[in-house]
Each structure stands twice: as structure tokens, then as C-alpha cells.
Amino acid sequence: MKKLVTFLILATVLFCSCTKPQNASGRYAASIQIKGSDTIVNLIQVWAEKFVAQYPTYNIGVTGGGSGTGFASLINKTCDIAMSSRRIEKKEKLLAKSNNIEPVEFKVGLDGLAVLVNKNNPVDKLTLVQLRDIFMAKITNWKEVGGEDRKIVILSRESNSGTHMFFKERVLRQNGKSAGDEFSVHSLMMPSSQSICDEVYQNPNALGYVGMGFLNDRVKAISVAIDESGGYVYPTSENVMNGTYPISRPLYLYTNGNPNGIVEMFIEYTLSEAGQEVVVETDFVPIKRQK
């Protein structure tokens, strides 16, 4: 596992100021706010720190809370960039239009969702159908999927999370084949990906899902197959990039209209070779292969 900078995310919100004022007046030359997805908040933070190291009179604040929070902030004009692990929804587009906001989308990386179990759990592979049945509580005991006789504890992100929505659409609803299916009412809704990792670490019966950037040696990721006839694939950057890992997705930044000034400079940096190297360093997948 690559070395990555570790950040503390308290509940659903993270805020940081990336530099101190450096110009003669003691004020920032420019300051922007980025809000949204907890999945990519660490990636955005590293980008922000490296960016302001080049431009020390600029300030970038980064706040988590979920993709829905990011879109709401963009629509309400309380952020300059929304970060999201899903595409903007039709209802959000309508709200944006009613508030004279024109969301412009930038795909800045790729991510695979890893399904986590406790390190002492003998289960190390599941199919998408088995995952669907577990998260809908049709399968309730680990012995039904090759584990010990223990009740499964289901962990999910909260509904405003892009990670929650993607997992529901890809796994529970099978990309539209089972529209309307929802997580079991017995699922424990967790405020952040880090809280899922922490709970899986301490609970031998737990199972949850997080972005690959949250993988660590305290928990175990399982291999996933589309069905029993297919091969089981472990969540790695290479497997996301080559399309063999079945639970993967793009990552986005959104601005109000075509960006300019510091916002444009930051977007351009994230898409540059140096910016995409940061994607790799933080265990996500670049949109372009690195040399």
C-alpha cells in the first residue's frame, strides 16, 4: 500500500486552512472554498496543500460532509468548488438553475469501492448478488457465505453520501435492473468512511464499504465477482483502471460556470501530470496513466 498522508476527519466535517497570508497587506490575495464528498476529501486536501505551496498568497478551505452537501453548497453559493463521488442529479440541476447556478463538471480521477470485513473474518470473497442480499438483509449470518455462525452487522454511509448512492445503484439496484431496492432498515448508517473503517476494525461481525483511498492494514478488503461464473477481483488501482473490478466510479469537481482565476488554476492543476501523480499517491486511480 502506498504511503499517504493521514488526516483526521471528525464526524462528517473537515475544515482546514492551507496557508497563512503572505502579501504585504497581511491578507490573502485570493481565497476559495471546496466542499463535498468525504471520499475524496483527503485527495483534495493534498492537492490544496501542494497548490498553495506554489502560490503562498492563496488560501483554500476544504470541508467534507458528503456529495449532497457539496452540491447544496454550490447551489447556495457557499462554495466555489463542489467535490463529488457521483454525478449531479436532475433535481439538483433544477435547483441550480432556479438559483442562477450553472454546474460545470470535471472528472478528476477514478475510485473503486472496497468492501471491508474484520481481519479475523475468514470470508475473503463475495459476488455482487451475495453483497446485494447481505445489504438488503436477505442473508443475515456469515455462515451463509462461508463464514462463522455469526450475525452480520451491516454498515452503510448516510443517504447524502455519493458513496452510499453509488453502492445502492451498482450493487443493490444492479444498475437499474432492480429499481427501488434499498438498504435494510437494520443497516447502521455511518457518518463517514473513516467511521466505517473504525467499526469494522473493532467489530468481528461487521461489513461495510469505503473508497479505496481509505484501505489500511487494520481491516480486510474482499475480492468481488459479478457472479459465480466470473473471476473474483481484488480492489486495486490497476483493476479499476482496466475495468475488471466491478465496483468502481469516476470522481468529480463541479464549478459554477466555466472557472476563472484561482478556481481555474486549481482545476488545471488537478488535471495536470503533477496533480494526477497525487491521485496515485493517495490510492485513487488517475484518469491518465502516469509515465
Side-chain angles (χ1 to χ4, degrees):
M1 181 123 179
K2 307 180 189 72
K3 292 183 179 179
L4 63 100
V5 181
T6 302
F7 299 96
L8 179 62
I9 303 175
L10 297 177
T12 59
V13 178
L14 170 112
F15 178 83
C16 85
S17 181
C18 299
T19 187
K20 295 181 179 180
Q22 297 292 324
N23 62 12
S25 67
R27 297 180 179 179
Y28 297 118
S31 182
I32 62 172
Q33 293 292 322
I34 305 175
K35 299 183 180 181
S37 172
D38 284 326
T39 296
I40 57 174
V41 71
N42 286 355
L43 168 60
I44 301 297
Q45 172 62 20
V46 178
W47 272 337
E49 291 190 343
K50 289 181 178 292
F51 181 83
V52 297
Q54 298 180 49
Y55 305 99
T57 61
Y58 292 161
N59 179 62
I60 300 178
V62 182
T63 309
S67 298
T69 298
F71 287 125
S73 298
L74 188 69
I75 293 167
N76 294 329
K77 303 178 182 179
T78 57
C79 77
D80 303 282
I81 300 175
M83 49 184 172
S84 179
S85 55
R86 63 170 173 84
R87 301 193 78 173
I88 189 170
E89 295 182 331
K90 183 177 180 180
K91 63 182 180 181
E92 291 166 330
K93 289 182 179 180
L94 291 174
L95 284 171
K97 185 176 181 180
S98 69
N99 206 30
N100 296 317
I101 298 295
E102 181 187 354
V104 175
E105 176 185 287
F106 298 89
K107 184 167 72 172
V108 294
L110 302 169
D111 184 28
L113 290 193
V115 178
L116 302 183
V117 297
N118 186 273
K119 291 186 72 171
N120 294 321
N121 191 329
V123 174
D124 58 10
K125 61 182 182 180
L126 292 168
T127 66
L128 287 178
V129 172
Q130 287 175 319
L131 286 172
R132 176 177 179 269
D133 288 346
I134 289 172
F135 280 93
M136 293 181 67
K138 295 180 179 180
I139 293 175
T140 59
N141 194 298
W142 282 112
K143 69 180 181 180
E144 298 177 70
V145 289
E148 298 175 349
D149 185 8
R150 295 173 177 268
K151 182 180 178 180
I152 299 174
V153 176
I154 305 168
L155 307 178
S156 173
R157 288 297 311 280
E158 295 175 325
S159 59
N160 71 328
S161 160
T163 303
H164 169 104
M165 296 186 68
F166 175 75
F167 194 86
K168 180 169 66 176
E169 291 301 321
R170 179 68 184 99
V171 178
L172 272 62
R173 298 182 176 179
Q174 303 176 66
N175 288 342
K177 295 179 181 178
S178 302
D181 284 349
E182 295 287 346
F183 287 93
S184 166
V185 295
H186 301 295
S187 302
L188 300 179
M189 297 297 175
M190 310 297 285
S192 68
S193 294
Q194 187 60 55
S195 64
I196 288 181
C197 291
D198 293 342
E199 182 63 23
V200 170
Y201 169 70
Q202 63 186 8
N203 189 336
N205 303 328
L207 171 131
Y209 55 89
V210 297
M212 280 171 38
F214 283 86
L215 289 179
N216 59 67
D217 58 7
R218 300 170 73 236
V219 293
K220 181 172 74 173
I222 64 170
S223 297
V224 178
I226 294 176
D227 53 47
E228 292 182 351
S229 64
Y232 289 87
V233 183
Y234 191 77
T236 66
S237 295
E238 187 63 30
N239 290 337
V240 170
M241 187 176 289
N242 64 29
T244 58
Y245 184 67
I247 315 177
S248 58
R249 59 182 174 172
L251 302 171
Y252 302 100
L253 296 180
Y254 283 82
T255 61
N256 176 21
N258 292 320
N260 53 53
I262 180 178
V263 175
E264 181 181 17
M265 292 169 63
F266 183 78
I267 295 291
E268 289 179 348
Y269 169 70
T270 69
L271 297 172
S272 70
E273 182 175 345
Q276 289 296 297
E277 287 175 355
V278 175
V279 176
V280 177
E281 292 168 5
T282 50
D283 290 320
F284 291 102
V285 182
I287 55 176
K288 300 176 183 177
R289 285 187 176 273
Q290 301 304 294
K291 297 179 181 179

